[in-house]
Amino acid sequence: MTEHPFILEMNEMTKEFPGVKALDGVTLKVRPGTVHALMGENGAGKSTLMKCLFGMYSPDGGEIWLNGEKVDIRNSKDALHLGISMIHQELHPIPFRSVMENIWLGRFPTSGLGPIQFVNHKKMRRDTEKLFKEINIDIDPDINVGKLSVSKIQSIEIAKAVSYHSRVIVMDEPTSSLTGVEVEHLFRIIRDLKQRGVAIIYISHKMEEILQISDEVTIMRDGRKIGSWPAGDLTTDLIISKMVGRDLTQRFPSRDNVPGDVLLEVRNLSSVVTKSFQNVSFDLRRGEILGVGGLVGAQRTELIEALFGLRDIASGNVILNGKPVKIKSPEDAKKHGIALLTEERRSTGIFPVLSVHENGAVANLKRYRKFYVLLDEKKKKVDVKMMVEKLRTKTPSQKTRIMNLSGGNQQKVLLARWLLTEPEILLLDEPTRGIDVGAKFEIYSIIADLAKQGKSIIMISSEMPELLGMSDRILVMSEGKLTGILDGAEANEEVIMRLAAQH
């Protein structure tokens, strides 16, 4: 193919689902050797556009051109053959297989005589080592993928994409589970790919990240393209206003909750796992938002899972309303008015093939029991409808499968699920991860309103602005130890980072 100013052109792309126009004449043009960021609120059409590019959806209209030639992409195999790869937000490696087997799965090199062929492990190892050397990755090809960190699995996915001789690589929220050091390593790989002429389409909700790594930015809203700009011409405020269609000068709602008496006391709590949290003590007041900060490996998730009865406690006390309590299971936690919104809503939160109605009611089935073995469906529907409306959840109906909602609306259904149990304490683990800026503001408003109503909230967040903007106090952890508790009004990024990095 002759050189062309755009390696990829998607012209006037349209796609409709029942009752929804997901893409309405969207055009995207990407230059070789650049990072082209694709931004927009959840439901803006970004994922739909990329799924059309990768052959997962058949568009209703439009054309796709690669290096000046029109192409027909009917499935993912076609896309890979044409040099288009996609690294999904949710990584799904085969954990009990080696790194090299994961990379060459379905196309193992073989050797043998005639129809009798065997996998050639020596060649597969050589090919993997050559591939890793090309993109500067240092991972043992023989190690099982299940033993690797998220960042290394991400590196393997990138290597796999490169192994197809990809000219266009789509990265969907590639840093959602990475530390700052791991993000910088990913950026180094991306810069190397750019120098080789590979085009990266980069989907992320992290503004600072987009402005750091991108050459161009395309913003979508409600299935339409709003425009494309050089990244250097944009600021965080400009991106937000173009994404949501209005100025969003306040990233966080005003809060008028007034923390009251101590509701929960945690004293010298230690995990049975020696490398997990040890000797953690803190108080939680009624109507308080207690932020929890720390780097990956700080054991924040492990701590709140222990408070919900998901992890065993070796020693220490949990005191609720002045009385010691034993929480050995989630059922115990629910009885004591504690609810947990987990970090990974797709793997440990939603039941994707079930409806909004079923997802909303599942934590509270005892409330709807009728005649011992039956459920009062009418009462379930009334309660879920009331909560869905209260949280302003956008869904065609209660019968809609939750997997078809945007990330922000899925999170609202999960909040509704737990609010129906009438909790006094809400444990929120990364409540806005993978959610766009407009939906974040709505989640923040719900959290602020719950605190005003007197609910007590413990909120883990890896986003510093979120911790500072939403917390009355901030508890900081490092490697399982509590390193400090700060007043929200006086805390700043430097102090939090210093406490988070303590050993």
Side-chain angles (χ1 to χ4, degrees):
M1 291 185 179
T2 56
E3 283 303 313
H4 195 268
F6 298 107
I7 195 166
L8 171 69
E9 296 173 85
M10 302 181 76
N11 297 322
E12 296 294 323
M13 302 297 291
T14 61
K15 179 66 180 176
E16 289 191 40
F17 298 105
V20 179
K21 194 157 193 176
L23 295 176
D24 188 4
V26 176
T27 293
L28 176 70
K29 297 186 177 185
V30 180
R31 301 175 193 277
T34 65
V35 176
H36 196 115
L38 189 57
M39 301 193 72
E41 295 186 84
N42 287 110
K46 308 183 299 295
S47 294
T48 303
L49 184 66
M50 291 300 98
K51 285 176 179 178
C52 288
L53 174 63
F54 197 57
M56 298 169 74
Y57 289 158
S58 296
D60 298 322
E63 296 177 342
I64 300 175
W65 293 67
L66 272 177
N67 227 357
E69 292 189 9
K70 186 179 175 183
V71 294
D72 181 21
I73 302 173
R74 293 158 297 179
N75 50 49
S76 299
K77 188 177 179 181
D78 286 349
L80 290 167
H81 180 71
L82 289 165
I84 300 167
S85 295
M86 186 169 179
I87 300 169
H88 301 274
Q89 182 179 359
E90 302 298 320
L91 302 174
H92 295 292
I94 302 172
F96 301 111
R97 288 294 184 180
S98 69
V99 166
M100 61 185 184
E101 286 173 317
N102 269 269
I103 289 175
W104 305 103
L105 185 68
R107 51 199 176 117
F108 293 145
T110 59
S111 59
L113 293 171
I116 303 172
Q117 295 288 314
F118 301 94
V119 175
N120 188 334
H121 284 89
K122 285 185 179 179
K123 185 177 188 312
M124 183 159 52
R125 189 177 294 104
R126 283 198 308 271
D127 290 348
T128 305
E129 287 169 347
K130 181 184 176 186
L131 179 64
F132 284 0
K133 190 175 180 181
E134 276 182 39
I135 55 177
N136 197 23
I137 290 175
D138 182 20
I139 300 174
D140 180 359
D142 291 302
I143 196 170
N144 278 2
V145 169
K147 295 179 180 178
L148 299 178
S149 66
V150 173
S151 63
K152 288 192 173 179
I153 294 171
Q154 195 110 47
S155 297
I156 291 163
E157 289 295 319
I158 293 170
K160 189 175 182 178
V162 173
S163 75
Y164 284 101
H165 306 291
S166 300
R167 294 174 290 166
V168 178
I169 300 177
V170 180
M171 296 185 182
D172 189 358
E173 295 285 354
T175 65
S176 62
S177 300
L178 304 187
T179 64
V181 173
E182 291 167 339
V183 168
E184 188 48 49
H185 179 247
L186 173 67
F187 285 179
R188 280 199 299 273
I189 294 173
I190 289 173
R191 284 191 282 269
D192 287 344
L193 291 171
K194 281 177 60 178
Q195 287 179 357
R196 297 171 55 187
V198 177
I200 310 289
I201 300 176
Y202 193 93
I203 301 174
S204 176
H205 292 120
K206 297 181 180 179
M207 306 289 170
E208 294 79 8
E209 194 174 278
I210 289 292
L211 294 174
Q212 181 184 346
I213 197 67
S214 305
D215 298 294
E216 291 184 75
V217 179
T218 290
I219 295 174
M220 295 178 64
R221 189 195 320 141
D222 298 329
R224 296 185 180 91
K225 175 182 172 180
I226 300 304
S228 296
W229 297 266
D233 293 350
L234 295 171
T235 64
T236 297
D237 288 342
L238 269 172
I239 291 172
I240 291 172
S241 65
K242 292 178 188 301
M243 276 174 59
V244 302
R246 60 188 184 280
D247 288 330
L248 200 63
T249 50
Q250 272 190 307
R251 289 177 72 174
F252 304 97
S254 57
R255 291 184 291 112
D256 49 5
N257 58 305
V258 181
D261 298 332
V262 172
L263 173 64
L264 177 74
E265 300 168 68
V266 174
R267 294 289 174 264
N268 302 313
L269 208 65
S270 294
S271 169
V272 294
V273 180
T274 53
K275 290 186 178 180
S276 189
F277 61 89
Q278 301 294 324
N279 298 313
V280 176
S281 298
F282 66 90
D283 295 335
L284 176 67
R285 301 180 181 277
R286 291 185 188 277
E288 179 181 35
I289 301 173
L290 178 65
V292 184
L295 303 174
V296 171
Q299 303 297 307
R300 298 168 299 167
T301 293
E302 289 77 1
L303 175 63
I304 69 165
E305 286 183 348
L307 292 176
F308 194 65
L310 286 170
R311 293 180 183 267
D312 293 333
I313 295 167
S315 60
N317 296 300
V318 177
I319 301 162
L320 190 61
N321 280 317
K323 296 177 182 178
V325 294
K326 297 288 184 185
I327 301 173
K328 295 185 176 181
S329 69
E331 201 58 41
D332 288 344
K334 284 162 61 179
K335 285 176 185 173
H336 290 298
I338 301 173
L340 169 65
L341 193 68
T342 58
E343 178 181 12
E344 297 293 342
R345 66 175 173 272
R346 289 178 180 85
S347 57
T348 58
I350 66 170
F351 297 94
V353 298
L354 298 184
S355 67
V356 168
H357 164 69
E358 290 162 323
N359 271 274
V362 73
N364 208 25
L365 294 180
K366 283 186 178 178
R367 175 187 175 104
Y368 307 113
R369 188 176 290 169
K370 186 170 72 170
F371 306 128
Y372 297 101
V373 293
L374 300 178
L375 294 175
D376 188 335
E377 291 295 328
K378 186 176 180 182
K379 184 172 176 53
K380 272 171 61 183
K381 285 177 183 175
V382 168
D383 283 359
V384 174
K385 182 174 185 290
M386 176 268 295
M387 196 56 68
V388 160
E389 289 176 352
K390 186 176 180 181
L391 300 184
R392 299 186 294 279
T393 309
K394 293 177 183 174
T395 177
S397 78
Q398 280 197 43
K399 294 178 181 178
T400 301
R401 286 184 177 183
I402 196 170
M403 63 189 286
N404 294 328
L405 302 190
S406 68
N409 287 303
Q410 288 178 5
Q411 201 74 319
K412 287 181 183 181
V413 174
L414 294 181
L415 271 171
R417 171 193 295 175
W418 289 112
L419 292 177
L420 285 170
T421 67
E422 301 179 352
E424 289 302 312
I425 297 171
L426 276 160
L427 309 174
L428 308 178
D429 195 352
E430 303 285 4
T432 65
R433 171 168 286 171
I435 293 175
D436 64 75
V437 67
K440 277 185 178 183
F441 189 86
E442 292 182 347
I443 297 290
Y444 296 149
S445 298
I446 292 166
I447 292 170
D449 190 47
L450 290 168
K452 185 180 178 182
Q453 294 170 31
K455 304 292 184 187
S456 300
I457 293 158
I458 298 178
M459 182 186 75
I460 292 176
S461 178
S462 296
E463 294 190 29
M464 201 70 75
E466 184 169 278
L467 269 183
L468 294 167
M470 286 299 296
S471 305
D472 296 303
R473 289 185 302 143
I474 299 171
L475 183 156
V476 187
M477 294 181 68
S478 176
E479 296 182 353
K481 297 182 180 68
L482 173 63
T483 52
I485 300 178
L486 307 168
D487 185 277
E490 298 171 358
N492 60 52
E493 291 192 23
E494 185 182 342
V495 176
I496 292 172
M497 283 305 297
R498 193 160 59 240
L499 289 170
Q502 277 188 18
H503 295 291

